[in-house]
Structure formats: structure tokens, C-alpha cells
Amino acid sequence: MTVLGYPRSWSCHCLPVLILLLGIGHGPWVEGVTHYKPGDPVILYVNKVGPYHNPQETYHYYQLPVCCPEKIRHKSLSLGEVLDGDRMAESLYEIRFRENVEKRILCHMQLSSAQVEQLRQAIEELYYFEFVVDDLPIRGFVGYMEESGFLPHSHKIGLWTHLDFHLEFHGDRIIFANVSVRDVKPHSLDGLRSDELLGLTHTYSVRWSETSVEHRSDRRRGDDGGFFPRTLEIHWLSIINSMVLVFLLVGFVAVILMRVLRNDLARYNLDEETSSGGSSDDFDQGDNGWKIIHTDVFRFPPYRGLLCAVLGVGAQFLALGTGIIVMALLGMFNVHRHGAINSAAILLYALTCCISGYVSSHFYRQIGGERWVWNIILTSSLFSVPFFLTWSVVNSVHWANGSTQALPATTILLLLTVWLLVGFPLTVIGGIFGKNNASPFDAPCRTKNIAREIPPQPWYKSTVIHMTVGGFLPFSAISVELYYIFATVWGREQYTLYGILFFVFAILLSVGACISIALTYFQLSGEDYRWWWRSVLSVGSTGLFIFLYSVFYYARRSNMSGAVQTVEFFGYSLLTGYVFFLMLGTISFFSSLKFIRYIYVNLKMD
């Protein structure tokens, strides 16, 4: 729904986030708690409203026809809060620490028919509001809707004009805040003429109570009065399913594949000893399997610059994902604080750009690349350019609809400055170190000048089949867990099982490495030495399965709708699948490279 436009004057308050990015002052891991004296004013900030089933579609609270001060004063926000769509402004509610209030008038309003229709539409789309008291979010629905029966059919719309605030304190600190309309009757918005004005009186009550809970973290996580679902519980089915798959795959690689390799090595080495008196050409003509391609298996692939860029960016996202999960496990930031993960992700992304530059440039120089400057530019733009294009479309849709998810100009400039002054320079520095520290590619076998002809391959050894198998197995290992992650990112769940997430992340990487080794062995057994790109695509295709799952989730597991939510969901789902392609493609490639080095080092050759 497009609501009334509102000037984005809060964008000027985004500059202090530069201090956050430099690591000075109030970091994202600090939980802000204010100490009060009895009678001290407690500021209640109004934040945003939006459809309950569209988490990423939010608007400023004052874009609705509600009680609004003459001069709106906005709160300075952190970068993570701005990215999360927060736009906090001071409200007309007067709350004092430990002082109860019984039905105080907030304001009187006269609404036109257009304003009433705007409220009706918001209520029909299940709009909820979010207020913030001392960094504690409190949420409630804007109004009440009732549908009953076919004959006679009734459709009733009501607006909540009274709110009961319940706040709990311990000593001089606020521990919990909630809002309720349990004992309140909604004001009907039905039966109004088009030329009739609706008079409303908004009121509120405040009730304080003391609690024995000393810290906010001591309360059960995700406890917001029941408005959103509770924190997810441990889902043992997902864990057991993933563990069984990992054990089967690891067992397959460790037992069956290694046994076959042992037989291959024994046969090939025996044949080498018995044919040592003959020429190598005679030997090649009489042999088959992966040994016969030993002079081609280390032949450098086409588009080596792009391959190295994929490996570099994939290594960066592996470090980024691991870092965020480890930080959450160590409690280095409060995962429930507004925008904490967003801030941590931006900081880590900027700092890990050196990894992408180093890995890409190091391997590029190893395999004989000469245009290392172009390689660094390609590495720095491999993710940033698709991300910028996707974000531009999503942000434009938000901006056109007046959503608070549209970033202010100062925030955009700040993020661009961070990338230009931190991310890109670190990529260049990492690339220089990688180039200077690179040693020649140490291949166990000498590569011939003329490439060997590849025999026709059966259909089950084609790239499409390898991508299907290599992508489906890692996806099946995380499919159950993926639902809970989607329910957190695109729903109303709160994910706190970071130990389980770290375990599943390790399982995903292990499954990807194992299946990559198996598929590479089958490819080499068919005398096909074009394993470089195949190893990246085979397991990297898991990203495609994740995107297909996102389509299924949108259609069958969510109630999301509308252009704003749809564009954002599929835009960022594409980026998510792309990131998984880069990560798992990198793991797959280096696993295959390690495996190939191992088997050819142990092969006796002239």
C-alpha cells in the first residue's frame, strides 16, 4: 500500500554511524540501558508501520493519519537500524518512570474521508505499528477487522484509539515493555459518508510494575508479549537428517572411493614397472582411466581470471559467514538489538575484502596470469556490481512507494565511501600481497603442449547431471534448517540457535567437499580432464536449488504479497543463491584440487 508521502528529514541524522564503522563509541554489541530516577521522563519513540505478512515493507508511523507533534524530532540511528528500516521519532506520549497514568488524552483529530479510507486499507492489510521505549520494541495492530459468515456476510473495521502500556522495572532500569488493547473497544470506521468528518479522541494508559528479573537478557529471548512468534526451539529432525547424510557421504568417500583409488594406484604402478622398458607412447595407447590424462589434467583452464575472481570472492564470503556466526556464538553483539547483525555484516565485509584480493591474485599468478590489475578489478566487482544493480531496483521500488526501507542519500553515500575507502583498497592490498607471495604452480605431472582428445562421455557424466547431483545433496543437508532461516529473515521468527547454525554450516561445507571429490574422480575416470570449471559448477549449483526453494517458500510457506515485498524477496533471494554459488564453488574447487594432487603425486610416472 502506498501511504502519504513524508519528508526524509531524518537522513541528516545518519552521519554519526561513521563513528560506529570506525569502532568508536557505542558499538553494535553493547546493550543500551538507561538508568532513571522516579519521575524522570521516559521517551517513547514511534518507529514504523507495515503489513504483518510483509516484513520488509515498512513505512514511517507518521505517514498514517495519527496523533503527530507540530515539530517532528527524529532520533539519531545506527547504520544497522537505518538498514533495518527504522525511522524513530519522538511521540506525544508523556511517560514518567514509575508513575502510572489512567486514560490520559493524547490528541483530538478530525479525519477526512480520504484519511479514513487510508486507515481502513491499512487495517485490512493487517498493519502493525512498532514503538521503541529505552531500546525495547513494543508492537501492536493499528486496528481490528472482523469477517463473519456467508449469509449474512459482515465486514467490520475498527481503529484502536486507546493503548495500554505495561512497563516492568527493576531498580532504576526498564526491563520489559508491552502494549495491550485487551480491555478496549475499537472505534468503528464503517458507515461513514464521503463528505463526513470523523472525530476521534486518542487516549492512553501507563502501568508500571516491579519485576525480580535483573537484566533484560534474563527474560526468555523473543518474549515481546506474544505479538511475534516465540524464539525457535532446537529442531532435532534437521540435525539428525544432516548428520546421517554427512556420515554416509564421508563414508562413501573414505571407504569406497579410497578403496577404488588404492586398486587403481596398485594396478597403474604395477603396469608402469612391467612396461618400463617400452616407450611412454606405447603405454598411453594400452592404458585407460585417469592415469592416461596425467599430461593434461593440470592444463590451465580458459577464463582463468574469472575463475580466480570466483575463488577469491567465495573465500571472502566463507570468512564472512564464519565470522558472523562465531561472533554471535561468543556474544560479541546482541542479536536482538536493532540492526546489530547488519552493522556487523557491513564491517566484516569491508574488512574481509583483503581475503578476496589475496586468494584471487595469489592463485591467478600461480596459474600463469599476467594481467593482475584487471584480475583485482574483476574480483572487487564480481559481487559488488550485481549487488548494486539488485539493490538499485529494490531501493527504487521502496522509494516509489514511500517505504522506510529506502535508504536516505547520506546513508548511500556513507556506504559507498566505506567501500571506496576501506573495501576496495583492502582488495588491492590483498591482491598485491597475494601476487608477491605466489610461487609457481607445482604440478606433479608435466603438461604436454598438445591437448589430448577427450572421448565421448555418457549422459550421466555430463555437466548438467553433475550439477544436479552436486547441488541437490548439499541442499538436502540444509533444507530443513533453511526453512527456519527463511522464517527468520522473511518472517517473524527469531533465530538464536547459532550453535546449531554453525554445526549445519560445517556440515554443508563437508558435504560439498565430499561430493566434489567423488564427482571429480568419476569425471577423470572417463578421461575428461576439464575439471577446473566443472568442480566449481557441480557443487556451486546448490545456489540454484536454494533459489528454487525460495520460490517454493514464497508461494507455499509465506503470506507475502505486493510489489514491494515481491521485488525485495526475489531480488535478494537471487543474491543469496549467488553467494552460496561462490562459497560452495570455492570449497568444491580446492577440495578437488587437493584430491587431484594427492592421486597424481602417488602415481609412479617417468
Side-chain angles (χ1 to χ4, degrees), residues 203-218:
T203 58
Y204 68 98
S205 302
V206 180
R207 294 181 176 85
W208 292 88
S209 61
E210 189 169 7
T211 178
S212 59
V213 178
E214 297 184 2
H215 304 285
R216 295 176 182 178
S217 58
D218 293 338

Side-chain angles (χ1 to χ4, degrees), residues 378-456:
L378 181 61
T379 302
S380 63
S381 59
L382 192 65
F383 174 77
S384 58
V385 170
F387 174 80
F388 177 77
L389 294 176
T390 304
W391 170 84
S392 298
V393 174
V394 173
N395 198 69
S396 299
V397 173
H398 281 301
W399 179 83
N401 288 271
S403 171
T404 60
Q405 297 289 336
L407 296 184
T410 50
T411 304
I412 298 174
L413 291 176
L414 178 62
L415 293 175
L416 183 61
T417 302
V418 170
W419 187 82
L420 290 176
L421 298 183
V422 181
F424 183 73
L426 285 179
T427 305
V428 175
I429 293 173
I432 294 174
F433 275 98
K435 176 182 70 73
N436 294 335
N437 294 333
S439 57
F441 188 80
D442 185 20
C445 309
R446 186 179 66 254
T447 301
K448 288 185 177 181
N449 294 328
I450 302 176
R452 186 185 185 88
E453 183 179 355
I454 301 174

Side-chain angles (χ1 to χ4, degrees), residues 195-391:
D195 58 344
E196 182 181 358
L197 295 178
L198 176 64
L200 294 176
T201 300
H202 288 271
T203 58
Y204 68 98
S205 302
V206 180
R207 294 181 176 85
W208 292 88
S209 61
E210 189 169 7
T211 178
S212 59
V213 178
E214 297 184 2
H215 304 285
R216 295 176 182 178
S217 58
D218 293 338
R219 295 186 65 94
R220 182 167 56 182
R221 289 186 172 182
D223 189 358
D224 58 358
F227 186 77
F228 287 158
R230 300 289 184 182
T231 302
L232 293 170
E233 300 295 338
I234 296 179
H235 24 281
W236 295 108
L237 179 61
S238 170
I239 302 171
I240 295 174
N241 173 68
S242 301
M243 288 179 60
V244 170
L245 182 59
V246 168
F247 289 149
L248 289 176
L249 282 176
V250 172
F252 171 78
V253 173
V255 178
I256 301 178
L257 193 56
M258 294 306 295
R259 182 173 185 140
V260 172
L261 273 178
R262 189 182 300 112
N263 293 334
D264 286 350
L265 288 170
R267 177 167 58 88
Y268 289 155
N269 291 333
L270 180 61
D271 292 342
E272 177 69 19
E273 294 175 358
T274 57
S275 61
S276 58
S279 65
S280 59
D281 292 337
D282 294 338
F283 173 76
D284 287 345
Q285 293 176 1
D287 201 5
N288 54 38
W290 54 265
K291 180 183 179 180
I292 198 174
I293 59 173
H294 67 276
T295 57
D296 295 285
V297 72
F298 292 104
R299 187 180 303 279
F300 297 147
Y303 311 108
R304 66 184 72 179
L306 179 60
L307 175 64
C308 295
V310 168
L311 300 178
V313 179
Q316 177 187 1
F317 277 104
L318 285 170
L320 176 62
T322 305
I324 290 179
I325 297 175
V326 170
M327 288 176 65
L329 281 173
L330 299 178
M332 297 182 66
F333 58 82
N334 185 358
V335 295
H336 296 290
R337 183 175 174 81
H338 280 239
I341 293 184
N342 291 337
S343 299
I346 291 174
L347 282 171
L348 283 178
Y349 176 79
L351 295 176
T352 54
C353 283
C354 59
I355 297 178
S356 64
Y358 182 88
V359 173
S360 177
S361 183
H362 184 269
F363 195 72
Y364 182 69
R365 178 53 64 93
Q366 275 193 329
I367 61 177
E370 298 294 338
R371 304 172 61 189
W372 70 273
V373 175
W374 168 249
N375 173 253
I376 291 178
I377 295 175
L378 181 61
T379 302
S380 63
S381 59
L382 192 65
F383 174 77
S384 58
V385 170
F387 174 80
F388 177 77
L389 294 176
T390 304
W391 170 84

